[in-house]
Amino acid sequence: MTESERSRVVKSGAIVLALTLSIFAASCKKKVPPPPPPPPVTNTPPASTSGSNRAVINSFTAEPSSIERGQSSTLRWSISNATDMSINQGIGAVQSQGERQVFPTSSTTYTLNASGPGGSDSRTVTVTVSTAPPPPPPSATGPRLSSADMLQQQAQDAFFDYDKSDVRSDARDALTRDAALLKQIFAQDPNFTVVVEGHCDERGSAEYNLALGDRRATSAKDLLVQLGVPADRMKTISYGKERPQCTDANEACWQRNRRAHLSPGQ
Amino acid sequence: MKIPVLSTSIVLTLSTLTYAQIKRDINKPGEKPAIAVPDLRGAGDAQRLMITFNSTLFSDLQNSGQLKMVPKTVYPLQVPQQPADFHPPLNGRPQGAWLTDWSGPPVNTNYLAFGYTAVQNNQIVLYGWLYDVAQPNTGSAQLIGKVYLGSLDESGVRKIAEDFGCDIVKQFGGACLSGSRIYFQSNRSGHKEIWSMNYDGSDQKQFTDYRSITDFPVVSPDGTKIAFTSYPLLPSSRAAADALQSNIQKPRENLGTPQIYVHSLETGRKLVYYNQQASMNAASDFMPDSRHLLIYSTAGGGFSQIYMTDLDGGGLHRITHSNALEVEPKVNPKTGSSMVFVSGRGGTAQIYRMNIDGTDVTRLTTGEGDAANPSWSPDGQRIAFAWTRGFEPGNYNIFIMDIATREIISQLTHGAGKNENPVWAPDGVHLVFSSTRGRSTQIYTMLADGTGVQQLTTKGNNEKPVWSKGTQ
């Protein structure tokens, strides 16, 4: 990964994080705690005043009385001495005992009418419907960094001396950190594989550098295996001097190009 | 071959005469025989092709390295077109054109090439002669008198010029380059691919279209096959590579490890080659039988080592067993019994020689600098190679070494850019190589004494030339 690619990845990660935080903050501010549900309607029947034939609604409740759109509420009722019983809002005639699930899309008041030879009774219950907040948009890269991004952002190159493929102490340090990173990535992503690339500076012949880059990749891989990284998750490839990081003819650039580099496998 | 006779008065010998074969040592400067090559003319419709004919013949003879070209400005006004145009002096008085017009001052040539072309049966026909003008009469002067036929177009006239030039060069112990072809790697299409061209740089053609990294061509001695090394583009990234071909920011390509490819040069098609399971397989040389390949590979694990395989990759046979990088095996084309190669076994990359079975390893270069790219002369006695001796790492120059004595015969380049991959021409007199002496890497030819440098390529960067004698 080049410098500009790396900074682009870092930048896009930051944008995703900022976006997630802002959505969270916004929804915190807007979200009003839902009002406590009204107590279930449990009107006690009025005392019978005119004989036993009068229709009486013993109970008419909606549970829960407050729902979000798309959810349901259950109406329950109990009626005595009625011959004619119905609920409005399209429900129609009902029995003296019963329940019915309703799916109101907005706040609705249901009226239960009961009548009998000795008189009639009527009760209402209201189901309050609130609109649910929209679900958060899917994030661009998922909730955590992908394995490939982790590798590209955090893996360190191991650098080599001119015409050498043995691992220097600074390269050993880099590869030790890489080994820990790889173990973490492999633990979270069981299908992930890594390519260990070997690169050379521009000075040797292309033919020799093909073999030298191969050897550098293998040296780096061997050390990673020693450090406990499973060998079957890593492949090596030599690019010789085909893929330089820079093309200046000075030691600073040559050193940047004499390296083993970890990239995501295919 | 039956040749129709056009003119009654000319007796043409149908093969080149051999009694006067002349061997000259080109390594002695100043002793090259001088030749005059006046422009030939064409009868009728043939004349329109004569500019191509004359420039091809002149440059082929000039570039042969065998001859000193006498400048056209000093030629006499009376230019013979056929033997009948020569008239010996009578009693010391000139009767027309004569041999001494050419052997004496100001021309002072040893040899004269002349003739003419005409159209016959819708073909172009060349009547060509080579005279040794120091001889007393035209009969003994004649070294070549021959008829050449070609198609009546640019390529046909180029062919007859090359064939005539070839016969002339052979008279002086040279070998013929006509029909030979240089294969090389170029990135001018946006990817490193294999290309080919004539040895004068004409007719440059793209041979591969793998669109990944394709490099290191080698051609079989019989001219029928080419092997090279390429990173296979794995299927999923093919479309991405097409889309992003010209992007400077390289897309993340899905490349496999370097593999050996063999193609037919007759059909252009890919032939079956089974690569070893290895992180690296690279083609390096064909054996003289054109039926085996020398490769370097990590098939045995560890360092790149030298192997031989059959043409289809079977019959793998390991030749080196070292803990060092071993690359670029090149077999002696004359004997097939020994090879030179590049090894890091002594520290820096140096050139070594060993028997074909891996025994009797000898270091050839002194251990100084980095050495690379050995190439055998066709006679199997010398190698040309690239070496940084006397320069900073990476600054290669071209050297020639005598294999028997291990002596450096000559250094042909001297620090003008990086000069790499010298490869001998089939004539044993020319070398092709790449150099960064300009602003980019380009392919050049030169004589084996370092003179006569000619640039063949200009577009993109061009490297890794090999010189095939063709299929004749």
Side-chain angles (χ1 to χ4, degrees):
Chain A
M1 184 166 66
T2 67
E3 292 302 321
S4 66
E5 278 172 329
R6 183 174 296 128
S7 76
R8 203 182 310 139
V9 170
V10 170
K11 247 182 258 167
S12 66
I15 289 166
V16 168
L17 185 62
L19 202 58
T20 313
L21 284 174
S22 72
I23 289 168
F24 189 64
S27 60
C28 272
K29 212 183 285 176
K30 265 189 216 160
K31 202 171 201 172
V32 181
V41 183
T42 54
N43 295 351
T44 50
S48 170
T49 53
S50 60
S52 60
N53 281 350
R54 184 163 182 255
V56 174
I57 298 172
N58 301 315
S59 67
F60 182 38
T61 62
E63 185 63 37
S65 60
S66 183
I67 59 170
E68 287 185 348
R69 184 194 292 239
Q71 295 177 325
S72 68
S73 178
T74 304
L75 304 176
R76 286 192 184 82
W77 60 91
S78 169
I79 304 165
S80 306
N81 303 326
T83 53
D84 214 358
M85 298 157 284
S86 68
I87 302 175
N88 69 346
Q89 305 291 358
I91 296 174
V94 294
Q95 300 292 308
S96 60
Q97 290 265 307
E99 59 177 65
R100 172 73 79 91
Q101 216 175 13
V102 291
F103 300 88
T105 54
S106 58
S107 297
T108 304
T109 300
Y110 296 88
T111 304
L112 172 59
N113 286 302
S115 57
S120 60
D121 197 357
S122 179
R123 287 289 176 83
T124 61
V125 292
T126 299
V127 177
T128 308
V129 177
S130 59
T131 307
S139 64
T141 58
R144 61 178 181 195
L145 283 176
S146 74
S147 303
D149 289 341
M150 266 180 86
L151 185 73
Q152 286 175 338
Q153 290 172 27
Q154 296 171 30
Q156 298 182 3
D157 286 351
F159 295 104
F160 294 85
D161 285 336
Y162 178 67
D163 197 10
K164 292 288 190 293
S165 58
D166 39 315
V167 178
R168 301 192 314 217
S169 65
D170 62 322
R172 170 174 285 271
D173 293 345
L175 290 167
T176 304
R177 284 188 284 274
D178 288 339
L181 175 67
L182 289 177
K183 284 183 217 171
Q184 184 194 341
I185 291 173
F186 290 157
Q188 78 176 34
D189 193 343
N191 294 319
F192 195 70
T193 60
V194 161
V195 175
V196 185
E197 302 174 357
H199 299 271
C200 303
D201 73 28
E202 62 176 358
R203 292 177 291 171
S205 74
E207 294 85 352
Y208 193 79
N209 278 343
L210 185 65
L212 180 61
D214 176 83
R215 190 61 210 159
R216 284 178 178 160
T218 304
S219 293
K221 182 190 166 188
D222 287 351
L223 181 59
L224 290 170
V225 171
Q226 270 180 41
L227 294 169
V229 181
D232 60 0
R233 307 287 286 277
M234 295 183 285
K235 261 180 38 180
T236 60
I237 188 168
S238 172
Y239 283 109
K241 53 178 172 177
E242 290 294 328
R243 293 276 185 267
Q245 295 269 82
C246 52
T247 54
D248 310 323
N250 59 48
E251 175 51 28
C253 173
W254 292 329
Q255 176 62 90
R256 284 180 63 198
N257 288 330
R258 296 191 303 266
R259 62 186 184 132
H261 173 77
L262 301 181
S263 65
Q266 306 296 339
Chain B
M1 184 169 65
K2 211 163 183 130
I3 304 294
V5 174
L6 185 74
S7 166
T8 52
S9 64
I10 307 164
V11 178
L12 290 164
T13 56
L14 297 184
S15 63
T16 52
L17 303 178
T18 54
Y19 66 87
Q21 289 261 346
I22 303 135
K23 297 268 181 186
R24 299 278 172 152
D25 185 357
I26 65 130
N27 289 323
K28 291 182 194 159
E31 293 201 8
K32 287 178 189 175
I35 187 168
V37 190
D39 284 348
L40 272 63
R41 294 193 290 129
D45 199 27
Q47 181 58 31
R48 68 185 166 88
L49 298 170
M50 292 312 285
I51 291 174
T52 301
F53 177 92
N54 286 311
S55 64
T56 304
L57 178 61
F58 195 88
S59 71
D60 277 11
L61 295 176
Q62 185 167 45
N63 296 337
S64 73
Q66 308 286 355
L67 295 159
K68 177 178 158 242
M69 308 303 288
V70 178
K72 293 186 182 189
T73 48
V74 299
Y75 294 172
L77 291 175
Q78 279 192 310
V79 172
Q81 299 193 75
Q82 54 185 325
D85 293 341
F86 285 97
H87 301 285
L90 199 62
N91 301 324
R93 300 181 66 173
Q95 303 295 304
W98 187 238
L99 300 170
T100 49
D101 302 350
W102 300 86
S103 61
V107 189
N108 291 322
T109 188
N110 305 112
Y111 300 94
L112 170 68
F114 64 100
Y116 66 98
T117 65
V119 177
Q120 194 177 22
N121 299 330
N122 209 31
Q123 285 189 305
I124 188 165
V125 55
L126 160 69
Y127 296 86
W129 289 270
L130 177 69
Y131 272 18
D132 174 355
V133 292
Q135 296 295 319
N137 58 66
T138 53
S140 61
Q142 182 171 314
L143 301 175
I144 296 173
K146 194 171 170 181
V147 180
Y148 301 84
L149 291 170
S151 55
L152 188 56
D153 52 24
E154 289 287 327
S155 71
V157 80
R158 194 185 295 275
K159 175 187 167 290
I160 60 173
E162 285 175 356
D163 289 349
F164 184 35
C166 205
D167 283 339
I168 293 170
V169 170
K170 280 178 184 164
Q171 290 291 319
F172 302 96
C176 197
L177 291 176
S178 86
S180 73
R181 193 108 180 132
I182 292 169
Y183 292 83
F184 60 102
Q185 174 258 92
S186 177
N187 72 352
R188 71 184 74 171
S189 70
H191 291 95
K192 289 191 170 178
E193 304 281 3
I194 307 301
W195 288 65
S196 73
M197 62 184 165
N198 289 334
Y199 64 94
D200 61 358
S202 62
D203 192 29
Q204 302 197 6
K205 283 182 190 160
Q206 186 171 348
F207 182 74
T208 64
D209 190 20
Y210 282 114
R211 303 184 191 193
S212 67
I213 307 166
T214 304
D215 208 346
F216 311 124
V218 280
V219 176
S220 64
D222 66 8
T224 64
K225 293 176 188 70
I226 186 169
F228 50 85
T229 306
S230 184
Y231 292 71
L233 200 56
L234 303 178
S236 60
S237 64
R238 180 85 201 203
D242 287 344
L244 294 165
Q245 191 172 347
S246 59
N247 207 335
I248 287 177
Q249 187 85 46
K250 291 278 181 201
R252 218 177 86 222
E253 293 160 318
N254 196 357
L255 297 185
T257 53
Q259 305 276 291
I260 295 164
Y261 289 67
V262 179
H263 277 238
S264 164
L265 284 176
E266 293 158 329
T267 66
R269 288 207 186 93
K270 186 173 185 286
L271 303 174
V272 172
Y273 186 89
Y274 297 103
N275 277 277
Q276 296 300 314
Q277 285 285 334
S279 58
M280 186 197 89
N281 292 296
S284 187
D285 201 10
F286 281 88
M287 292 294 286
D289 65 3
S290 295
R291 296 172 66 181
H292 296 84
L293 268 180
L294 288 174
I295 70 168
Y296 48 104
S297 166
T298 52
F303 291 84
S304 168
Q305 297 285 301
I306 293 168
Y307 296 81
M308 194 188 298
T309 76
D310 300 339
L311 264 197
D312 64 358
L316 181 78
H317 166 64
R318 183 166 177 170
I319 297 174
T320 56
H321 299 266
S322 76
N323 281 319
L325 300 174
E326 315 273 21
V327 299
E328 291 197 270
K330 302 285 179 185
V331 63
N332 183 324
K334 198 76 180 173
T335 67
S337 62
S338 68
M339 72 178 89
V340 290
F341 61 104
V342 173
S343 173
R345 60 178 70 193
T348 63
Q350 297 289 316
I351 293 173
Y352 293 75
R353 178 221 159 271
M354 66 182 170
N355 294 334
I356 203 73
D357 62 1
T359 59
D360 196 13
V361 178
T362 318
R363 194 182 69 207
L364 298 179
T365 44
T366 57
E368 300 160 275
D370 290 329
N373 311 145
S375 168
W376 289 91
S377 61
D379 63 9
Q381 293 179 9
R382 291 170 291 170
I383 55 166
F385 63 102
W387 202 4
T388 63
R389 189 183 74 171
F391 290 86
E392 290 298 311
N395 291 340
Y396 289 97
N397 281 295
I398 292 170
F399 291 77
I400 293 179
M401 175 189 283
D402 181 84
I403 285 285
T405 64
R406 281 193 264 161
E407 272 172 26
I408 300 297
I409 298 171
S410 51
Q411 177 177 347
L412 304 187
T413 63
H414 298 86
K418 300 176 177 190
N419 300 280
E420 296 178 80
N421 293 100
V423 173
W424 293 86
D427 64 2
V429 172
H430 289 82
L431 290 164
V432 64
F433 65 106
S434 72
S435 178
T436 61
R437 59 188 61 188
R439 258 179 256 157
S440 52
T441 309
Q442 299 299 342
I443 291 172
Y444 298 79
T445 55
M446 64 182 167
L447 292 167
D449 62 4
T451 64
V453 174
Q454 308 238 337
Q455 182 172 345
L456 304 188
T457 57
T458 52
K459 291 180 190 150
N461 285 298
N462 302 279
E463 313 169 76
K464 308 287 179 289
V466 287
W467 202 322
S468 162
K469 72 176 160 72
T471 51
Q472 79 266 28

